[in-house]
Amino acid sequence: MAVQPDMEKKGFLQTVGDAAGDVFTRITAGISPGEFRRMLRGEAPGRPNPRLKPHSDTFLLHIKPTYYHESVTRFTHTFRLGLLSTYIFLFEVITGIYLMIWYAPSPDRAYADMLYLLSNVPFGQFMRDMHRLGAELMVALVTLHMVRTYLTGSYKPPRQFTWFTGVILLVVTLFLSFSGYLLPWDQLAFWAVTIGTSMAEAVPPAVVGETVNLLARGAPDIGANGLLRFYLLHVLFLPLVLFLFFFVHYYKVVHYGISLPANEEEVGQDTANKIPADRRVYFLPDVLIDETVFLLAFTAFTVVASTFFFTAPLESIANPQVTPLHTVAPWYFYWLQGMLKIADKTIAGVVLPGVLLVLLMAIPYLDPNPSRRAKDRRVAIISGIVAGVIMIILSWMGTPQYAAQAAPAVEVVQELMPEEGAGLVREIGYSEVPLGVYDSREHPSELFEPVNCPIPVQIWSRIPVISVMLPRCEENMHDVLHEFETSIQAWQKSDPDFNNAYGILTVTQEQAQLKRLNWQVFWQDSTGLDSSFERHFFLHENSLYWEEYGFKDFSFLTESEEAEQ
Amino acid sequence: MQKRWYDFLYVKSPIVKIGLGTLAILLTLGVIALQLLMEEPRMEAQTASWEGRSIEIGADLFANNCASCHGIEGKGLQGVAPALDSRYFFSQRLNDVGFTGTQDQYIALTLHAGRPSKVDTQWANVMATWGSEFGGPLRADQIDHLVSFVMNWEETALAQTPEEDPWQFFQDALSKQLPYDPSEPGYQTKLDQAVAAAEAAGVSNYSIGGVEVQAPTADEAADAGPRDPEELFTTMACIGCHNLDQDQTPDNRGITAPNLGNLAEVAGDMVPGQDAATYVYNSIVAPNDYIVEGYLPGVMTQNFAEQMSEEEIQAMVEWLLSR
């Protein structure tokens, strides 16, 4: 491009404009500024379609189809769950690398690194919350993606192998989430993973189980070696496996096309790749805009949620000597924990999940029904729903609510002030727990009435939208005691060995800024014998406790303002 | 393609879609900017929060492991273990023992490695090695929590008047100077206590706050007359291991040494051929001659016959049996 002759011929402005347009076309791999404007206006492309060039010229776009069938681009056909699953993996990679900067996989350092990340790294807590929320969403989204595929029958020929790789991706996702669970090296992590890996021990025959367990833990119990192994699984091996199977999966998706809504083609036909010219929706610009806007909206949702409503839990440091009350697996393994409660470890922990997994992978090869229409698939859909309901019931059985209750008095105290985590008392905090001796009988549950308490978050209360979402206002000492009595009454009704019960809470000043809460529960068993339970906890003025889900406590903002004044 | 009732929800115009995407970006950036403003106070609050939780955990560990000797409120137990919620401990102790590090390091060192000395000490029990690296029961992080908890006394301890300071100055070789200003209220009381304790402990050439204390010679001690058994029970550190208020029964046994609440009833039946007075007398002057089942020989001080006069030991036996 000779500049001087051009300038003489076309003038300065024209030359600069042409050069800018040229640069734009190079960057977009073939879309001229004029074409770009036409895209934004929603105008049809010219012929031949200049918008196909980026697909052949660029690496990232060549894996995307150039056009889709109009019916599959509707949001309610796929809910874009596959795209979302892929995106959230990328999201986890980015937030995960941020966390890796401050993390060393060693029992001596891991937990201290967590505290450092939370208290000294800008955006450290934000990134950790996002990573954890993303992990839980990833499990949920991948599962929903599978449910959608099942309900629309999209696993049927020729997409059997796509489904098969999808099940592998689901398993890898579960393992990814589970292996990340151990890394903070807190009690929650340690015991959830101890329970999880102990299932590997149940693999028959005994010698195989022991070997698998030893390979996973690196020692008979989880320690330095186990943490390192889980770390390497989490950041290296499993992401690589996921990466590989993702490309196999996506290649198959593009190769066969996204299955059309069942009623748009004849039974037994697959016309996803024969898209009539008038039904084509081009990736550039329509699908690209849809997907980008959708992912941006999802990102905004995740950012808002982890800023205001989600806190990644961190309990006290892992202690192999102390098993906390109500140790639970992550929620997506509740169903497994539920099965373990009703059946033998080998059957419920290894054989049944293994059979279920093989069955899940084999569904497309076993299903003889060629139709994808709902009215032809009543058996498949109903059995799918029944399986879902069974999973929900098993999950409920996996929670501590079912068949894992401690003595009533222990549960009453655990509910208000759990051994690990927040609980009502720690949430209202030091300043809302005045010194004194409190008797639960003076706070009968029938008289329970929410009391107006001062809103702790004055900054937010000036913004009307946020003040609507502020924590419920009955969280103060008065309501703790009502809750205490209500809980005792509820246990009295359900347990014949827990009669005439009452509780005494004694709050004393242990040190400057440190209160001691002494919980006592007195009751009579069915023979009239007096019994009591006592447990003390300490509460420091500065300690903040946040529940995993719920509006975060931003009171530190007003407190630091008060300190400055 | 069939129409559905929710079709109106679909946005058709690319410009509107791009507008919505821009809004999402602005919302994301806005929330991140909001976080940026909050990061400073948030990190401060988190730092304070984890320090607070460390103190909470330390308080629990203290209640379970330390309070039995150092007192529930860290006020110490006479003859057993020194006070920790003490102005002297936070202001002067490091100088007196010649420790060049900081207070928290001193506490951490003592917790990890213990105090392996039974020489020239007024304390009945040795400080055990608590750190797991020295064979103790606590992990390093647990000791860190305990240090946080003990350090949390600093503010209130430094505000104590000399009179309120529960530290006991007696035989402790280097603490010869009271670290208080003579003009402070309570100085005289503390000085009197310290002199009385030094005299009771029988140290020589002891100078406390300018008051010279001479060890009473054997003659002088005789001149001064026998000391009160109740007072001796404390100054000889008996009280550290023997509980006078509890009975010794199979269900309720003293931990280090038998409880003495019901001594008068049981003393006569312990060793055949010895009446109550003989048994108690022998137990003081030669503790290893008869060890009650379940206790260890050599735990009790072996030279009480040298530390107390014959008359005082007899008075002690009489007092113990008459209670």
Side-chain angles (χ1 to χ4, degrees), chain A residues 308 453-463 466-467 469-471 551-559, chain B residues 38:
Chain A
F308 298 108
C453 62
I455 292 167
V457 201
Q458 277 128 7
I459 285 184
W460 304 115
S461 63
R462 290 188 208 125
I463 309 166
I466 293 177
S467 61
M469 303 187 290
L470 282 172
F551 192 75
K552 284 186 187 176
D553 181 3
F554 287 99
S555 56
F556 61 84
L557 289 173
T558 45
E559 272 157 23
Chain B
M38 298 193 299

Side-chain angles (χ1 to χ4, degrees), chain B residues 41-59:
Chain B
R42 182 197 64 76
M43 286 193 283
E44 275 169 32
Q46 280 277 3
T47 308
S49 167
W50 291 104
E51 280 166 9
R53 288 206 208 181
S54 177
I55 293 170
E56 288 172 13
I57 299 167

Side-chain angles (χ1 to χ4, degrees), chain A residues 287-315:
Chain A
V287 177
L288 177 68
I289 292 177
D290 282 0
E291 292 190 344
T292 311
V293 171
F294 181 56
L295 293 184
L296 286 173
F298 177 77
T299 310
F301 162 78
T302 320
V303 167
V304 169
S306 51
T307 304
F308 298 108
F309 303 104
F310 181 84
T311 315
L314 185 66
E315 298 188 344

Side-chain angles (χ1 to χ4, degrees), chain A residues 142-364:
Chain A
V142 172
T143 311
L144 286 175
H145 182 42
M146 195 188 76
V147 169
R148 194 283 299 172
T149 312
Y150 183 81
L151 290 180
T152 59
S154 303
Y155 57 84
K156 299 202 173 187
R159 298 184 183 76
Q160 303 100 315
F161 189 67
T162 321
W163 168 273
F164 181 87
T165 53
V167 176
I168 292 179
L169 287 171
L170 173 71
V171 173
V172 174
T173 303
L174 287 174
F175 274 115
L176 257 178
S177 200
F178 183 68
S179 59
Y181 223 76
L182 181 68
L183 305 187
W185 200 248
D186 62 345
Q187 284 284 70
L188 180 69
F190 185 86
W191 289 101
V193 173
T194 300
I195 294 173
T197 47
S198 75
M199 274 182 293
E201 211 173 1
V203 175
V207 65
V208 175
E210 278 163 25
T211 313
V212 171
N213 191 40
L214 201 61
L215 282 173
R217 293 182 177 180
D221 290 310
I222 295 172
N225 246 321
L227 180 57
L228 184 62
R229 281 167 198 216
F230 271 71
Y231 177 73
L232 291 175
L233 280 179
H234 187 69
V235 304
L236 210 62
F237 181 73
L238 292 171
L240 281 178
V241 174
L242 191 101
F243 208 61
L244 177 69
F245 277 93
F246 163 72
F247 279 111
V248 176
H249 188 73
Y250 191 64
Y251 176 78
K252 290 285 171 189
V253 170
V254 175
H255 183 65
Y256 295 119
I258 298 169
S259 65
L260 297 180
N263 52 14
E264 291 195 17
E265 57 190 6
E266 297 299 317
V267 170
Q269 272 190 344
D270 186 68
T271 53
N273 272 343
K274 301 185 190 98
I275 307 172
D278 61 327
R279 304 294 303 275
R280 287 176 190 173
V281 177
Y282 284 86
F283 179 76
L284 286 172
D286 298 313
V287 177
L288 177 68
I289 292 177
D290 282 0
E291 292 190 344
T292 311
V293 171
F294 181 56
L295 293 184
L296 286 173
F298 177 77
T299 310
F301 162 78
T302 320
V303 167
V304 169
S306 51
T307 304
F308 298 108
F309 303 104
F310 181 84
T311 315
L314 185 66
E315 298 188 344
S316 52
I317 191 168
N319 188 349
Q321 266 94 48
V322 179
T323 319
L325 192 61
H326 301 331
T327 301
V328 287
W331 59 264
Y332 41 83
F333 284 133
Y334 278 177
W335 60 277
L336 204 54
Q337 212 171 357
M339 286 211 302
L340 285 170
K341 279 181 190 173
I342 50 174
D344 171 71
K345 202 167 152 186
T346 311
I347 292 172
V350 181
V351 178
L352 266 178
V355 169
L356 275 177
L357 191 64
V358 171
L359 213 61
L360 203 58
M361 284 174 169
I363 282 177

